[in-house]
PDB file of all heavy atoms in Angstrom:
ATOM      1  N   GLU I 500      38.823  37.605  62.326  1.00  0.00           N
ATOM      2  CA  GLU I 500      38.416  37.255  60.974  1.00  0.00           C
ATOM      3  C   GLU I 500      36.920  37.465  60.728  1.00  0.00           C
ATOM      4  O   GLU I 500      36.521  37.938  59.669  1.00  0.00           O
ATOM      5  CB  GLU I 500      38.804  35.803  60.691  1.00  0.00           C
ATOM      6  CG  GLU I 500      38.881  35.543  59.216  1.00  0.00           C
ATOM      7  CD  GLU I 500      39.449  34.180  58.897  1.00  0.00           C
ATOM      8  OE1 GLU I 500      40.174  33.622  59.745  1.00  0.00           O
ATOM      9  OE2 GLU I 500      39.152  33.706  57.797  1.00  0.00           O
ATOM     10  N   VAL I 501      36.073  37.146  61.695  1.00  0.00           N
ATOM     11  CA  VAL I 501      34.621  37.278  61.490  1.00  0.00           C
ATOM     12  C   VAL I 501      34.198  38.711  61.209  1.00  0.00           C
ATOM     13  O   VAL I 501      33.157  38.938  60.599  1.00  0.00           O
ATOM     14  CB  VAL I 501      33.798  36.777  62.702  1.00  0.00           C
ATOM     15  CG1 VAL I 501      33.796  35.280  62.767  1.00  0.00           C
ATOM     16  CG2 VAL I 501      34.277  37.405  64.001  1.00  0.00           C
ATOM     17  N   SER I 502      34.977  39.677  61.648  1.00  0.00           N
ATOM     18  CA  SER I 502      34.580  41.074  61.449  1.00  0.00           C
ATOM     19  C   SER I 502      35.255  41.696  60.224  1.00  0.00           C
ATOM     20  O   SER I 502      35.154  42.896  60.009  1.00  0.00           O
ATOM     21  CB  SER I 502      34.932  41.905  62.672  1.00  0.00           C
ATOM     22  OG  SER I 502      34.429  41.307  63.823  1.00  0.00           O
ATOM     23  N   ARG I 503      35.946  40.888  59.444  1.00  0.00           N
ATOM     24  CA  ARG I 503      36.614  41.457  58.262  1.00  0.00           C
ATOM     25  C   ARG I 503      35.752  41.253  57.023  1.00  0.00           C
ATOM     26  O   ARG I 503      35.259  40.159  56.775  1.00  0.00           O
ATOM     27  CB  ARG I 503      37.984  40.805  58.053  1.00  0.00           C
ATOM     28  CG  ARG I 503      38.935  41.006  59.202  1.00  0.00           C
ATOM     29  CD  ARG I 503      40.384  40.904  58.784  1.00  0.00           C
ATOM     30  NE  ARG I 503      40.790  39.617  58.271  1.00  0.00           N
ATOM     31  CZ  ARG I 503      41.400  38.674  59.004  1.00  0.00           C
ATOM     32  NH1 ARG I 503      41.653  38.878  60.282  1.00  0.00           N
ATOM     33  NH2 ARG I 503      41.758  37.543  58.436  1.00  0.00           N
ATOM     34  N   ASN I 504      35.586  42.336  56.265  1.00  0.00           N
ATOM     35  CA  ASN I 504      34.774  42.266  55.062  1.00  0.00           C
ATOM     36  C   ASN I 504      35.351  43.282  54.091  1.00  0.00           C
ATOM     37  O   ASN I 504      35.432  44.468  54.400  1.00  0.00           O
ATOM     38  CB  ASN I 504      33.321  42.605  55.435  1.00  0.00           C
ATOM     39  CG  ASN I 504      32.433  42.739  54.223  1.00  0.00           C
ATOM     40  OD1 ASN I 504      32.700  43.528  53.314  1.00  0.00           O
ATOM     41  ND2 ASN I 504      31.364  41.969  54.209  1.00  0.00           N
ATOM     42  N   TYR I 505      35.764  42.823  52.919  1.00  0.00           N
ATOM     43  CA  TYR I 505      36.500  43.697  51.998  1.00  0.00           C
ATOM     44  C   TYR I 505      35.673  44.891  51.528  1.00  0.00           C
ATOM     45  O   TYR I 505      36.172  46.017  51.461  1.00  0.00           O
ATOM     46  CB  TYR I 505      37.023  42.894  50.806  1.00  0.00           C
ATOM     47  CG  TYR I 505      37.849  43.746  49.866  1.00  0.00           C
ATOM     48  CD1 TYR I 505      39.065  44.285  50.276  1.00  0.00           C
ATOM     49  CD2 TYR I 505      37.397  44.049  48.585  1.00  0.00           C
ATOM     50  CE1 TYR I 505      39.823  45.084  49.441  1.00  0.00           C
ATOM     51  CE2 TYR I 505      38.151  44.851  47.733  1.00  0.00           C
ATOM     52  CZ  TYR I 505      39.365  45.370  48.169  1.00  0.00           C
ATOM     53  OH  TYR I 505      40.103  46.171  47.337  1.00  0.00           O
ATOM     54  N   ILE I 506      34.403  44.644  51.231  1.00  0.00           N
ATOM     55  CA  ILE I 506      33.575  45.754  50.725  1.00  0.00           C
ATOM     56  C   ILE I 506      33.450  46.828  51.804  1.00  0.00           C
ATOM     57  O   ILE I 506      33.629  48.022  51.542  1.00  0.00           O
ATOM     58  CB  ILE I 506      32.185  45.238  50.287  1.00  0.00           C
ATOM     59  CG1 ILE I 506      32.361  44.211  49.169  1.00  0.00           C
ATOM     60  CG2 ILE I 506      31.289  46.391  49.843  1.00  0.00           C
ATOM     61  CD1 ILE I 506      31.079  43.621  48.658  1.00  0.00           C
ATOM     62  N   HIS I 507      33.178  46.383  53.003  1.00  0.00           N
ATOM     63  CA  HIS I 507      33.065  47.312  54.126  1.00  0.00           C
ATOM     64  C   HIS I 507      34.381  48.060  54.334  1.00  0.00           C
ATOM     65  O   HIS I 507      34.405  49.278  54.548  1.00  0.00           O
ATOM     66  CB  HIS I 507      32.667  46.506  55.371  1.00  0.00           C
ATOM     67  CG  HIS I 507      32.343  47.357  56.553  1.00  0.00           C
ATOM     68  ND1 HIS I 507      32.534  46.945  57.843  1.00  0.00           N
ATOM     69  CD2 HIS I 507      31.853  48.604  56.632  1.00  0.00           C
ATOM     70  CE1 HIS I 507      32.183  47.912  58.670  1.00  0.00           C
ATOM     71  NE2 HIS I 507      31.760  48.932  57.966  1.00  0.00           N
ATOM     72  N   PHE I 508      35.480  47.329  54.201  1.00  0.00           N
ATOM     73  CA  PHE I 508      36.805  47.944  54.345  1.00  0.00           C
ATOM     74  C   PHE I 508      36.993  49.069  53.317  1.00  0.00           C
ATOM     75  O   PHE I 508      37.452  50.157  53.659  1.00  0.00           O
ATOM     76  CB  PHE I 508      37.881  46.866  54.187  1.00  0.00           C
ATOM     77  CG  PHE I 508      39.279  47.402  54.015  1.00  0.00           C
ATOM     78  CD1 PHE I 508      39.936  48.001  55.077  1.00  0.00           C
ATOM     79  CD2 PHE I 508      39.933  47.299  52.794  1.00  0.00           C
ATOM     80  CE1 PHE I 508      41.228  48.495  54.928  1.00  0.00           C
ATOM     81  CE2 PHE I 508      41.219  47.794  52.634  1.00  0.00           C
ATOM     82  CZ  PHE I 508      41.863  48.402  53.701  1.00  0.00           C
ATOM     83  N   THR I 509      36.612  48.816  52.070  1.00  0.00           N
ATOM     84  CA  THR I 509      36.832  49.849  51.040  1.00  0.00           C
ATOM     85  C   THR I 509      35.965  51.078  51.323  1.00  0.00           C
ATOM     86  O   THR I 509      36.365  52.201  51.040  1.00  0.00           O
ATOM     87  CB  THR I 509      36.549  49.332  49.618  1.00  0.00           C
ATOM     88  OG1 THR I 509      35.202  48.869  49.553  1.00  0.00           O
ATOM     89  CG2 THR I 509      37.496  48.225  49.226  1.00  0.00           C
ATOM     90  N   GLU I 510      34.782  50.862  51.897  1.00  0.00           N
ATOM     91  CA  GLU I 510      33.942  52.021  52.251  1.00  0.00           C
ATOM     92  C   GLU I 510      34.617  52.853  53.327  1.00  0.00           C
ATOM     93  O   GLU I 510      34.669  54.078  53.246  1.00  0.00           O
ATOM     94  CB  GLU I 510      32.566  51.555  52.744  1.00  0.00           C
ATOM     95  CG  GLU I 510      31.680  51.152  51.587  1.00  0.00           C
ATOM     96  CD  GLU I 510      30.477  50.331  52.028  1.00  0.00           C
ATOM     97  OE1 GLU I 510      30.297  50.120  53.250  1.00  0.00           O
ATOM     98  OE2 GLU I 510      29.730  49.908  51.129  1.00  0.00           O
ATOM     99  N   ARG I 511      35.154  52.177  54.325  1.00  0.00           N
ATOM    100  CA  ARG I 511      35.840  52.909  55.395  1.00  0.00           C
ATOM    101  C   ARG I 511      37.109  53.566  54.871  1.00  0.00           C
ATOM    102  O   ARG I 511      37.485  54.655  55.298  1.00  0.00           O
ATOM    103  CB  ARG I 511      36.150  51.949  56.560  1.00  0.00           C
ATOM    104  CG  ARG I 511      34.921  51.650  57.401  1.00  0.00           C
ATOM    105  CD  ARG I 511      35.213  50.654  58.506  1.00  0.00           C
ATOM    106  NE  ARG I 511      35.317  49.297  57.996  1.00  0.00           N
ATOM    107  CZ  ARG I 511      36.388  48.530  58.076  1.00  0.00           C
ATOM    108  NH1 ARG I 511      37.475  48.977  58.671  1.00  0.00           N
ATOM    109  NH2 ARG I 511      36.391  47.315  57.578  1.00  0.00           N
TER     110      ARG I 511
END
Side-chain angles (χ1 to χ4, degrees):
E500 201 172 337
V501 286
S502 308
R503 299 204 297 263
N504 172 304
Y505 183 66
I506 299 180
H507 188 209
F508 167 71
T509 58
E510 282 164 3
R511 283 177 284 119

